[in-house]
Every structure is written in C-alpha cells, then in structure tokens.
Amino acid sequence: MSAQFLSRWSVIGVEGDDAVTFLQSQLSNDIAGMAESQLRMAGLCTAKGRLLGSFFMLRQGKQVFLVCRKETVAALVKRLSMFVLRSKCKVRDCAAEYQVTFKADTTPALPMRVQWDEHGHATASLRAIGAVTPGFQLVATSEQADQAHADDEFEYALQQLGIAYVSQPTVEMFVPQGINFDLVGGVSFSKGCYPGQEIVARSHYLGKVKRRVFQASTGALPTVTAGQDVWLEGKENDPAGTVATAVQFNGQQHLLIELPVDDAERADAAFAIKTDTGVVALKVQAPPYDVHQKGNVFE
C-alpha cells in the first residue's frame, strides 16, 4: 500500500559542515547532542521569545531536516538564512526533493525515533496512542504516494498527544511554554544561547507557567481555525485564550487551545468561540500529561 501524502507539511534542509552548530545557536532544542536515531522537536523564536515556527528535527550526518507546516517554510528559510553569515551551511526549501507522508504503525515502535534506509529516506515514530504509533516518513518526491491526503489524520494524532505546532495564523503568538513545547520535548534548558533564550528560561525557572495548552473538542460546524480567540463565560471583556491548532476528524473538530491554567482547571468554567454564524461551545480537558510538571514529560 502506498503512503498517504501530507499536503499541509513540508521540509527545510540545512546542510554543510556547520549545519549542526548553526542550528544549535538558532533553535530552542539541543541538536548537537542528538543522535541520528532520535526525533526531536524544536522552535525558532524571536528575540522576545515568540515562536516563528516549530519543527520535527531529523539529523543525518552533516544534514538536518526540519519538518514543519508548509505555509511557514518560505519565511522560515528566509529568517534562518539571514543568520548563516560565515557558517559553512545552506538553508533551503526541500519540497522539490522530498515529500512528507503519514504512517500509522500497529507494531510496537520506540517513541520519538527515526530509522534511515539505504536511500536516505526516514521513518519517524511519535508516541503511541493506544495500539497505534503514528508518525511520518520523509521520502524522495520520485516515490509514489497515495493521492489521498492524510493531513487530518496526522494532525488529529498530534492533538491527541497534546503536541501543538505553529501554522501561519499563529506565527509570533506564543512563547514555547504557552503551547507546552517545553513539556513535549521541544526546549532544552541546558544547551546554551539562541534567540529568545533568556525569556524562555526566565519563564521556566521563575515561578509557575500561568498559561498552557489544553485539549478541546466541538461539533463539525461552524469551522474553527487556529488563531481564533477563546472566551470564558462571565469574563466577556477580554478573550481568555487562543486556538493553537484545529483539525476536523470523524465529524468533530479537535483543538489545542492556550488558556490560563487556573481558569482551565475550574470545574465550572465554560469556554466558547464566537464566529460569524454563532457561538461554538467547547469541551475542554487536560492533555494526556501533567501541565504542572517541569521538563519533558515524554522522556
């Protein structure tokens, strides 16, 4: 059976003698200490600690692949290329050479791992959801992929795991902790400097994080999109939070929404999204890990 294409996802390639050291100075996670068999997440932040993009990182020798939402690729390539300077590496859009496809493995697989084949293709595994371990494959564009798109299935799996990501509507909206990126293994607090590092570290070490991502669901209509405001009943003067990710799957919309932790954990809290055609009530619940924990809950 041929793989199912992910039309909303693409890949950035960074290659050259200094590719790893360059990205080590730019991204929120440790890539210098990352083995080729590991899958890690990372973010690219502004100097104010706001996420410009988020990635799944794969490393093979002097080449690093950054899998992210397709509509963010051009701006991220341009941003990273601005800081290459004298580093011996090149940042490029690899959509013409590689495609991202979805996989859902029913055989046991190690979480957050990558397998490379003799053709340089990668098979990446995420965390298990019940008996299924979702993931993705990075293959040459010459390989045959099913015309059916599996973006909804893949993004639903991410929502179920509590893994948020940056899409075009949410660029510069969140600090990494705001979308639980520190909890799911997207931030290293020991790797050294990168843009926004001081702000991200301050939020980690000084007191508790006040805003986190929670899971939510609602009916199929009206359509909810990333970046929309979320409102708390009784506090209509200002939005309580923001939709980080949204996907339609099995007749429902499945969301990750950034909210104040104290409000989200109230038993009587009622959240909704206002649209042109009405108010969408949300069923909110905690992600499948403790939002009060410090560090990577996936380790």
Side-chain angles (χ1 to χ4, degrees):
M1 181 179 177
S2 59
Q4 291 184 300
F5 181 56
L6 293 178
S7 63
R8 298 197 290 260
W9 293 78
S10 193
V11 59
I12 296 169
V14 185
E15 59 185 356
D17 291 343
D18 295 338
V20 171
T21 54
F22 167 68
L23 289 175
Q24 185 77 355
S25 70
Q26 296 297 317
L27 303 186
S28 64
N29 208 347
D30 179 18
I31 191 168
M34 175 181 167
E36 291 188 5
S37 61
Q38 289 180 296
L39 175 69
R40 284 184 177 171
M41 288 173 283
L44 176 65
C45 297
T46 67
K48 295 182 179 181
R50 296 276 170 169
L51 283 164
L52 291 162
S54 61
F55 314 100
F56 291 102
M57 300 192 300
L58 303 87
R59 175 180 176 181
Q60 189 180 41
K62 296 179 180 180
Q63 187 161 3
V64 180
F65 295 103
L66 306 174
V67 176
C68 58
R69 281 286 293 237
K70 180 179 290 185
E71 75 274 15
T72 65
V73 166
L76 293 172
V77 168
K78 182 178 180 180
R79 177 81 175 196
L80 286 169
S81 297
M82 289 171 54
F83 296 97
V84 168
L85 301 177
R86 296 182 181 178
S87 297
K88 296 178 181 178
C89 63
K90 183 177 181 180
V91 182
R92 59 195 179 89
D93 182 346
C94 290
E97 302 160 56
Y98 293 94
Q99 62 186 0
V100 187
T101 61
F102 175 72
K103 72 178 228 22
D105 203 341
T106 56
T107 59
L110 291 174
M112 308 309 287
R113 290 293 185 272
V114 178
Q115 289 183 323
W116 295 91
D117 66 18
E118 65 274 16
H119 303 293
H121 299 166
T123 299
S125 300
L126 302 177
R127 313 293 302 190
I129 302 176
V132 176
T133 303
F136 60 88
Q137 295 172 314
L138 187 66
V139 299
T141 52
S142 59
E143 297 292 317
Q144 181 63 40
D146 195 326
Q147 292 299 312
H149 296 168
D151 296 270
D152 289 349
E153 192 170 359
F154 178 62
E155 292 173 10
Y156 171 70
L158 295 180
Q159 191 269 353
Q160 290 292 286
L161 290 169
I163 297 175
Y165 51 84
V166 176
S167 58
Q168 187 58 46
T170 60
V171 170
E172 291 194 60
M173 273 196 173
F174 306 116
V175 296
Q177 286 95 329
I179 60 168
N180 301 358
F181 225 50
D182 56 325
L183 300 181
V184 299
V187 180
S188 169
F189 293 100
S190 60
K191 67 174 286 288
C193 293
Y194 58 90
Q197 180 263 340
E198 290 185 1
I199 292 171
V200 176
R202 191 180 303 128
S203 298
H204 178 73
Y205 290 112
L206 300 179
K208 69 177 184 178
V209 178
K210 295 181 179 180
R211 302 183 73 87
R212 288 291 193 185
V213 152
F214 290 79
Q215 291 177 326
S217 60
T218 187
L221 293 173
T223 301
V224 175
T225 59
Q228 286 189 265
D229 291 332
V230 178
W231 301 82
L232 172 62
E233 186 178 289
K235 294 184 178 180
E236 279 81 12
N237 291 333
D238 293 298
T242 307
V243 177
T245 69
V247 61
Q248 295 257 7
F249 190 74
N250 282 346
Q252 280 194 304
Q253 296 180 90
H254 301 272
L255 319 174
L256 291 174
I257 55 176
E258 182 234 25
L259 293 170
V261 174
D262 290 344
D263 288 337
E265 293 184 333
R266 278 175 41 200
D268 63 340
F271 295 96
I273 295 172
K274 300 175 183 178
T275 73
D276 293 338
T277 56
V279 177
V280 181
L282 300 177
K283 180 181 179 182
V284 176
Q285 64 183 37
Y289 47 76
D290 182 3
V291 297
H292 298 283
Q293 180 173 321
K294 290 279 190 178
N296 184 0
V297 299
F298 283 173
E299 289 183 342

